[in-house]
Amino acid sequence: MLNTPAPYILLGLVLYFLTYRFYARWIDKKIWETDPNRPTPSRLYFDGVEYFPVSKYVLFGYQFKSVAALGPIVGPLTGVLFFGWIPALLWVIFGNMFIGWAQDYSAMMMSVRNEGRSMGPITYKLLGDRARKILLVYLIFYLIIITAVFEWVIIDVLNRVPGTFTAVLFVLFGGIIFGQLIFKMRMDALLATLIALLIVLVGYFTVALIPATQWPTTNFLDGPGFFAQYGFDPKLTYPGTLTVAFWLLVLSILYYIAATTPMPKFLLPTVYVGYLPSIIALVLVLLAALVTPITGLTIQQQAVKNLYVDPMVNPQGGPIWPILFVTIACGAISGWHSLVSSGLTSKQLEYETDALPVGGGAMFTEGAVALSSIAAVMVLSQPPAGAAAYVQGASLLTTKMLQVPAIYMNILYGIFVTVMGLITSMLFVRIFRLIMAELFEDSPLGNKYISPIILLIVAGFLAFVGSWTNLWIFFGGTNQLLAGLALLLIAIFLASVKKPSWYTLIPGGFMAITTLAALAWETYVYLLYALQNKPIGVQASAAKLYGGAVVQISNFLSAAFGALLLVLGAVMAYYLFAGFAKYRQKQ
Amino acid sequence: MGILDRIREVVEGLTVHGQSTAILKVKAQIDNLFMIITVGDMLGVPILPPYYSLRLLPYVFPNIQNWKRYMLRERDFTDLVT
């Protein structure tokens, strides 16, 4: 029993439940003093477009969908591969119990108490215009890095799980057809959904039953001869290869279409149709993790691995502090959630008392997804790097539970990871385009058709020659620093209204210091390798193919991004600590 | 509320809610355009033929309050995230 993932996953779920039931409710009642009779922005500022009251169950579903994508899947499994399953499990459980939910819920409540305003205007109100501008620049770089990371994650799965692309094409096609049926032909939504699902199922079974459709095969453009020539493993994905270039081009075209076409034509229906099979996949893997004592799958991963790695020996990973705390972002704590919580959700809360089940509840549910991701990689003896490990582990868990041929689950989880990644990154490219349009209204940089190209070129270059694991840590660093800054902002707000702020101040301070250290470490690693003109890990392939200079440019670019984000983060942290001291003095 | 209704609402939130809100925003943009060219003078936009505004007033009257609130609300780049 104890050698299976089930008891540890169950322990996490029980601790989440107890935290929600006691600690979170205590904070909700004693610090925020939520009152169902106090009017919320959805009622006070009703406009029928953004501000209108919505049931807490609907909002819970919306909040969960908005926060949970690839983050709670890829982060935890990478944490297990770097440091072992015990550190990863502990951070996912305790990070969420004391930091994660507190940020999501408190950001929502702070917005509710500020007329439904989002993070930008609240930052402006509490800290001034300069702090808001720093937040804006920070967000732009965050979007570039996260796009690069997700591009690589999707490419890796598309390359290593043959057939996924064909099945995903059916999902995209189903989405487009659904959009046309609903908006052009005004068809009944249920009927249109059934037609779209039928298309998805046809794609799924076609790929599972007809081996010829499991195309393109792994590294199909490079071939075994190429891999023998350079001594690469033909089962892995290497930066700089023709196959990677091909997938990057395919993704860039999809992103560009999503960013420039009207939302109801492509993005919205694709998100809708793509999310339906994803819900089934998520529920199945969590159930499968809990029944491992019956299915007989045992833990194969090391409990604790290297706590410190010399960057010159192995540049991927690093010291457990701070690297573990940024490797696992979503599932434990994620800064992106503060933007979502203070965005649409806070404008639609019907009662103040709904904030805990919606904000806190969604975060704990995301924690459960992260736990299932840990379980998926725990049962693998030799997991591949990246999201392919999740596909392999989740397939193994669910195949044993459902007693079906492995190909069905392989394709299901291949679709799941790719679609979740695609949906999120398509939204990121679109958000980048909208922000650029706001910033550079009269300049070509703000042009609808030009600004996505800028993002796709920079992020594409980083993904093409980059080292995936280092990019992931970079993304985690920026994301977690955003979380730290949000927590400190909440502490300032609580101080400004003369309420106790320790429960966000302590985690906020910890996250700010930890993530600044992680960004400094990763910038140091990039700079070290760039100055010595050495490739980082798998970048060796790109260096062999295009020469060391290309990789060196990529690493210098990453180091420059890191240095910039480090300085911006440090300045922002200074503003926040100084702001907190100012408001505390006023008390 | 029964358990099935709750599950239905959660699934609605997971799948449809974001979509319907985005469509509402697209519709609001078109409605706002109509409001601006008819009763834009209420927000200080110079509209030349007030005769038509007066004729349309009974039809647009129920939307005026919400429209003004939507148009005059402070907007920020962090609002673009959702």
Side-chain angles (χ1 to χ4, degrees):
Chain A
M1 177 79 173
L2 285 176
N3 62 348
T4 66
Y8 309 102
I9 305 305
L10 196 63
L11 174 75
L13 295 177
V14 169
L15 287 173
Y16 283 165
F17 174 75
L18 293 175
T19 310
Y20 179 83
R21 189 77 186 75
F22 297 104
Y23 178 55
R25 281 202 180 167
W26 184 78
I27 298 279
D28 187 50
K29 281 202 169 29
K30 297 290 175 192
I31 293 184
W32 288 95
E33 294 173 357
T34 53
D35 178 0
N37 296 318
R38 190 181 290 139
T40 53
S42 69
R43 298 186 200 183
L44 278 173
Y45 308 109
F46 181 95
D47 63 11
V49 182
E50 285 170 304
Y51 287 77
F52 58 94
V54 175
S55 148
K56 64 180 172 186
Y57 298 105
V58 175
L59 276 187
F60 165 81
Y62 173 75
Q63 174 81 3
F64 175 72
K65 186 216 85 169
S66 305
V67 298
L70 275 188
I73 288 162
V74 181
L77 74 87
T78 312
V80 174
L81 298 180
F82 281 171
F83 302 107
W85 63 267
I86 286 185
L89 187 81
L90 290 177
W91 172 233
V92 166
I93 293 176
F94 290 104
N96 202 342
M97 280 170 65
F98 295 107
I99 313 179
W101 79 268
Q103 182 214 222
D104 291 25
Y105 157 80
S106 310
M108 196 179 286
M109 277 308 297
M110 180 171 70
S111 175
V112 167
R113 296 277 167 88
N114 279 282
E115 300 162 3
R117 286 177 176 150
S118 55
M119 288 288 283
I122 298 173
T123 308
Y124 177 75
K125 182 184 160 191
L126 294 171
L127 295 172
D129 191 41
R130 201 174 291 169
R132 176 158 72 170
K133 281 186 178 141
I134 292 173
L135 189 67
L136 173 63
V137 178
Y138 201 83
L139 197 61
I140 288 172
F141 280 92
Y142 173 84
L143 289 170
I144 293 173
I145 292 170
I146 198 168
T147 306
V149 167
F150 276 30
E151 277 181 332
W152 180 260
V153 171
I154 299 168
I155 288 170
D156 192 34
V157 173
L158 288 174
N159 186 37
R160 286 162 73 177
V161 189
T164 302
F165 182 60
T166 316
V168 168
L169 276 183
F170 274 89
V171 175
L172 296 176
F173 179 63
I176 294 167
I177 293 292
F178 176 80
Q180 292 296 314
L181 292 177
I182 287 281
F183 300 114
K184 288 274 181 200
M185 296 173 66
R186 310 270 171 184
M187 188 182 271
D188 177 67
L190 186 65
L191 188 62
T193 304
L194 289 176
I195 292 171
L197 276 180
L198 190 69
I199 295 170
V200 173
L201 283 175
V202 167
Y204 176 69
F205 283 106
T206 305
V207 173
L209 296 172
I210 306 170
T213 57
Q214 290 161 23
W215 186 88
T217 49
T218 306
N219 294 310
F220 74 110
L221 278 177
D222 299 289
F226 168 84
F227 282 85
Q229 181 192 345
Y230 287 103
F232 299 154
D233 182 350
K235 288 179 187 162
L236 300 182
T237 313
Y238 286 94
T241 60
L242 271 180
T243 312
V244 169
F246 169 79
W247 288 124
L248 204 52
L249 187 68
V250 170
L251 288 185
S252 299
I253 292 169
L254 282 176
Y255 291 161
Y256 192 74
I257 294 170
T260 51
T261 51
M263 293 269 276
K265 280 199 172 167
F266 182 67
L267 193 53
L268 289 178
T270 309
V271 169
Y272 173 64
V273 174
Y275 215 83
L276 293 171
S278 305
I279 298 169
I280 300 167
L282 273 177
V283 173
L284 275 182
V285 73
L286 188 61
L287 282 177
L290 290 172
V291 298
T292 42
I294 301 166
T295 52
L297 286 168
T298 53
I299 299 169
Q300 302 293 322
Q301 279 293 301
Q302 232 174 300
V304 180
K305 290 184 187 173
N306 297 331
L307 300 183
Y308 174 76
V309 179
D310 181 350
M312 288 316 289
V313 178
N314 181 4
Q316 295 164 340
I320 193 163
W321 185 90
I323 299 300
L324 173 71
F325 302 91
V326 299
T327 303
I328 303 177
C330 299
I333 161 112
S334 162
W336 183 256
H337 299 191
S338 64
L339 299 174
V340 174
S341 292
S342 63
L344 194 66
T345 322
S346 63
K347 296 174 178 63
Q348 299 187 342
L349 275 186
E350 193 171 5
Y351 305 105
E352 274 195 350
T353 43
D354 289 351
L356 185 58
V358 173
M363 185 59 202
F364 284 123
T365 315
E366 195 196 58
V369 175
L371 290 174
S372 71
S373 173
I374 291 177
V377 79
M378 272 164 107
V379 295
L380 296 176
S381 53
Q382 286 183 321
Y390 179 78
V391 176
Q392 203 173 316
S395 302
L396 182 64
L397 283 172
T398 48
T399 301
K400 287 274 182 188
M401 181 177 72
L402 300 172
Q403 298 290 315
V404 291
I407 183 72
Y408 285 98
M409 292 298 123
N410 259 331
I411 298 296
L412 177 68
Y413 285 97
I415 296 176
F416 168 65
V417 170
T418 313
V419 166
M420 292 287 266
L422 265 179
I423 287 171
T424 322
S425 36
M426 285 194 296
L427 283 168
F428 286 142
V429 178
R430 196 176 180 90
I431 293 167
F432 181 85
R433 199 262 284 170
L434 294 172
I435 290 178
M436 292 293 276
E438 290 267 315
L439 274 179
F440 304 101
E441 208 173 345
D442 302 318
S443 152
L445 286 175
N447 183 285
K448 175 181 173 175
Y449 298 103
I450 295 175
S451 58
I453 296 174
I454 299 167
L455 171 66
L456 292 174
I457 288 175
V458 180
F461 177 65
L462 289 177
F464 186 57
V465 293
S467 156
W468 177 79
T469 41
N470 297 72
L471 268 179
W472 181 263
I473 294 170
F474 234 19
F475 147 68
T478 49
N479 192 27
Q480 302 294 68
L481 186 55
L482 198 60
L485 303 179
L487 282 162
L488 291 173
L489 193 68
I490 295 160
I492 292 176
F493 172 73
L494 286 170
S496 74
V497 292
K498 300 182 173 44
K499 296 274 185 196
S501 53
W502 53 267
Y503 90 100
T504 61
L505 181 70
I506 299 167
F510 170 74
M511 289 313 298
I513 293 164
T514 301
T515 48
L516 284 173
L519 277 175
W521 171 269
E522 216 44 47
T523 307
Y524 161 71
V525 171
Y526 272 123
L527 203 59
L528 198 67
Y529 276 79
L531 287 172
Q532 295 187 7
N533 195 10
K534 278 185 176 175
I536 301 178
V538 287
Q539 280 183 326
S541 58
K544 279 182 182 172
L545 290 167
Y546 306 105
V550 175
V551 170
Q552 200 177 15
I553 291 169
S554 162
N555 290 343
F556 267 125
L557 187 65
S558 299
F561 276 11
L564 183 74
L565 290 167
L566 188 63
V567 172
L568 287 176
V571 173
M572 191 70 185
Y574 166 76
Y575 274 120
L576 286 159
F577 280 118
F580 182 76
K582 191 180 87 180
Y583 281 101
R584 273 300 286 261
Q585 272 178 355
K586 282 184 185 173
Q587 269 189 338
Chain B
M1 184 187 269
I3 185 82
L4 279 178
D5 286 331
R6 290 179 194 182
I7 292 171
R8 187 186 58 75
E9 288 202 346
V10 170
V11 174
E12 183 188 330
L14 282 168
T15 54
V16 184
H17 185 64
Q19 196 173 187
S20 55
T21 310
I23 292 163
L24 277 175
K25 279 186 196 170
V26 175
K27 182 180 175 293
Q29 283 165 3
I30 299 164
D31 289 349
N32 289 340
L33 200 62
F34 175 74
M35 296 293 277
I36 284 172
I37 58 174
T38 51
V39 290
D41 49 341
M42 288 184 185
L43 297 181
V45 182
I47 304 293
L48 287 175
Y51 168 75
Y52 297 104
S53 303
L54 206 58
R55 291 287 298 271
L56 287 167
L57 195 59
Y59 302 99
V60 300
F61 183 75
N63 301 326
I64 287 175
Q65 193 61 34
N66 288 347
W67 167 66
K68 280 167 85 174
R69 203 175 275 153
Y70 183 75
M71 291 297 288
L72 297 176
R73 213 183 69 232
E74 179 189 14
R75 283 176 202 283
D76 183 79
F77 61 93
T78 42
D79 283 314
L80 300 171
V81 166
T82 48

